[in-house]
Amino acid sequence: MNPITTSKQRVFGLDVVRAVAILLILCSHSTILLFPNSETTSIKTIQFFGTIGVDIFFVLSGFLIGSILLKYIENHQTKPKHFLQFWMRRWFRTLPNYYLVLLINIGLVVFFNTGLPDQLYRYFFFFQNFTDKHPDFFTESWSLSIEEFAYIIGPLLLLFLGLIFKAVNKWLFLMVTLLIILYFTANKFIFHYSFTAIPDNFSWSQSIRKVVITRIDSIYYGFIGAFAAFYYTKYWNRYKWISFGLGTLMFLSIHFYIYINQLNPDSFILFFNVYYLSIVSISILLTFPVFSSWITGKTFSVAITKISIWSYSIYLVNYSIVLLSIKQFVSISNLNTIEKVIVLLLFWSVTFVLSYLLFTFFEHPILKFRDSNKFTRRFKN
């Protein structure tokens, strides 16, 4: 397996996707910082950027992870030890940062005396939002729970069904992918139709968008893209602009439909519970043939690549650590426009500085070890 952290092996178009996703999230959180109670359409629209940004990350993650699993399959590396290698590489990529930032969040809550959540132990096993609303603590971690379980469920099913069918091949990969999408889509229907009336405390974002059992399918749409790119490369490239146009049209159309009808996720729950997230994931995936074939860039390429490389660190530190700490010291509602601009610049600059430090002195050394011969030779035949 090749390292993913060196710029020579990066696909610039996917760096663009990753950078756009994290910048959308930062823009969303900026409005939450400066205008937390605003009901204006423009502010609400920008706040919704965070939803789109996370969905981009989900589909991209599925595309990349699916591609890795397909390489294992094509190299006939489908024994339990090979799946263990896959999980170990994933966990070295995601868990160290997660647990470090989790401990920092616990320290900040103790320092500010704002109260730890009940059943804090669930955060250490990614169960804080498995079937229920995510607690109001380390709120970014909701998406990491979904990703971690997605990394486990697919390979486990491949391994189990491989034992039954005596082989793990590309068609088993596709079958598992489709079964997972169908199962978690069905969970959305079950969730929706379990209501005889909309509960008073219902929140679409908290009750379905941020819950593991109703969101894993978003990542597996990326698996379908990986399958198409891997085995149907000629068509993936030949029709990339048609696919991009369809994806863009689908994405813009659904949001134009929401805008002109003033659809509220907490009121029009059939549309948002069952259809919206899947349509957004598919529309994002349809743009990937263009982005995955965009190998190099010129304008702002260094900045885009850096943002992409730091994106995981940025995601983890920007809200719970930076934004909420700022709010502990600054009363935003009492600031004038110039002061709010200063706070906004502080939020962005501190976020990027901390992300750079976290990546450079913690995340990157761990990834270097993961990609070293000392680590990988333990899983050789």
Side-chain angles (χ1 to χ4, degrees):
M1 302 298 296
N2 292 325
I4 62 169
T5 55
T6 55
S7 59
K8 291 181 180 179
Q9 296 162 327
R10 304 186 72 87
V11 176
F12 180 72
L14 298 183
D15 278 344
V16 171
V17 171
R18 202 178 282 107
V20 167
I22 196 61
L23 291 175
L24 286 174
I25 291 169
L26 283 176
C27 288
S28 173
H29 290 171
S30 295
T31 60
I32 293 173
L33 172 65
L34 299 182
F35 312 103
N37 301 314
S38 176
E39 294 295 330
T40 61
T41 302
S42 59
I43 297 299
K44 285 295 184 182
T45 299
I46 296 173
Q47 287 180 358
F48 210 70
F49 286 177
T51 299
I52 305 302
V54 174
D55 282 320
I56 292 172
F57 273 130
F58 279 165
V59 179
L60 177 60
S61 178
F63 181 77
L64 296 174
I65 298 305
S67 298
I68 292 171
L69 287 172
L70 287 172
K71 289 178 183 178
Y72 275 98
I73 291 171
E74 288 304 306
N75 291 329
H76 305 290
Q77 297 177 326
T78 56
K79 296 179 181 178
K81 67 177 182 179
H82 297 124
F83 285 102
L84 178 60
Q85 179 193 27
F86 165 80
W87 284 317
M88 291 298 294
R89 289 182 61 82
R90 280 290 88 203
W91 290 332
F92 267 79
R93 175 70 181 89
T94 59
L95 297 190
N97 270 22
Y98 172 83
Y99 285 119
L100 176 62
V101 175
L102 173 58
L103 293 175
I104 292 173
N105 271 277
I106 293 172
L108 287 173
V109 166
V110 172
F111 177 77
F112 291 124
N113 194 29
T114 54
L116 290 169
D118 295 333
Q119 299 182 318
L120 178 62
Y121 71 90
R122 289 189 176 189
Y123 281 82
F124 291 90
F125 304 99
F126 296 95
F127 278 108
Q128 67 268 29
N129 61 318
F130 190 76
T131 58
D132 302 313
K133 295 179 181 180
H134 195 284
D136 190 20
F137 169 77
F138 191 13
T139 52
E140 307 95 306
S141 66
W142 70 268
S143 63
L144 303 179
S145 298
I146 293 167
E147 295 219 17
E148 291 302 326
F149 280 104
Y151 299 155
I152 294 171
I153 290 172
L156 267 182
L157 278 175
L158 279 173
L159 186 59
F160 175 72
L161 293 176
L163 294 174
I164 294 176
F165 295 110
K166 309 300 182 184
V168 176
N169 56 37
K170 64 180 183 180
W171 300 116
L172 187 63
F173 173 93
L174 182 60
M175 183 181 76
V176 165
T177 298
L178 294 176
L179 284 174
I180 289 173
I181 290 174
L182 288 173
Y183 174 77
F184 287 99
T185 300
N187 282 347
K188 292 186 178 71
F189 279 93
I190 294 170
F191 175 88
H192 175 76
Y193 287 105
S194 65
F195 290 135
T196 55
I198 301 174
D200 292 336
N201 63 343
F202 176 80
S203 166
W204 170 75
S205 183
Q206 298 295 328
S207 300
I208 191 167
R209 187 176 78 88
K210 296 182 178 181
V211 178
V212 172
I213 62 169
T214 52
R215 286 311 311 278
I216 285 181
D217 58 305
S218 294
I219 294 174
Y220 279 83
Y221 284 110
F223 276 53
I224 293 177
F227 182 88
F230 203 94
Y231 294 109
Y232 300 94
T233 309
K234 180 174 68 174
Y235 301 105
W236 180 264
N237 292 324
R238 178 183 296 176
Y239 300 109
K240 63 182 181 182
W241 286 109
I242 294 176
S243 179
F244 184 87
L246 288 174
T248 303
L249 179 62
M250 183 184 298
F251 182 87
L252 293 177
S253 297
I254 191 172
H255 289 97
F256 181 70
Y257 173 77
I258 291 170
Y259 177 77
I260 62 173
N261 290 284
Q262 298 183 336
L263 301 185
N264 185 312
D266 296 336
S267 300
F268 295 86
I269 61 173
L270 174 63
F271 172 76
F272 282 97
N273 286 358
V274 177
Y275 303 113
Y276 173 75
L277 293 169
S278 295
I279 294 173
V280 168
S281 296
I282 293 169
S283 68
I284 291 168
L285 177 61
L286 288 171
T287 67
F288 274 36
V290 167
F291 287 111
S292 64
S293 61
W294 187 0
I295 305 301
T296 60
K298 294 181 180 180
T299 306
F300 305 117
S301 60
V302 174
I304 290 170
T305 300
K306 289 295 185 183
I307 292 172
S308 174
I309 290 172
W310 300 341
S311 61
Y312 184 42
S313 295
I314 293 171
Y315 183 73
L316 287 173
V317 306
N318 84 93
Y319 189 85
S320 293
I321 293 179
V322 181
L323 187 150
L324 294 184
S325 294
I326 290 174
K327 293 182 74 171
Q328 288 292 327
F329 294 102
V330 180
S331 178
I332 303 297
S333 60
N334 295 326
L335 302 182
N336 59 39
T337 301
I338 295 177
E339 290 170 335
K340 285 186 176 181
V341 171
I342 294 172
V343 169
L344 180 63
L345 292 175
L346 178 67
F347 168 62
W348 280 69
S349 59
V350 173
T351 294
F352 275 96
V353 169
L354 289 182
S355 302
Y356 164 77
L357 294 174
L358 178 58
F359 176 82
T360 303
F361 298 106
F362 187 74
E363 182 179 345
H364 185 56
I366 291 172
L367 292 178
K368 285 182 66 177
F369 170 73
R370 184 201 67 172
D371 295 329
S372 67
N373 291 330
K374 182 178 179 180
F375 179 88
T376 56
R377 66 170 173 249
R378 297 184 181 183
F379 301 95
K380 288 184 178 180
N381 294 326

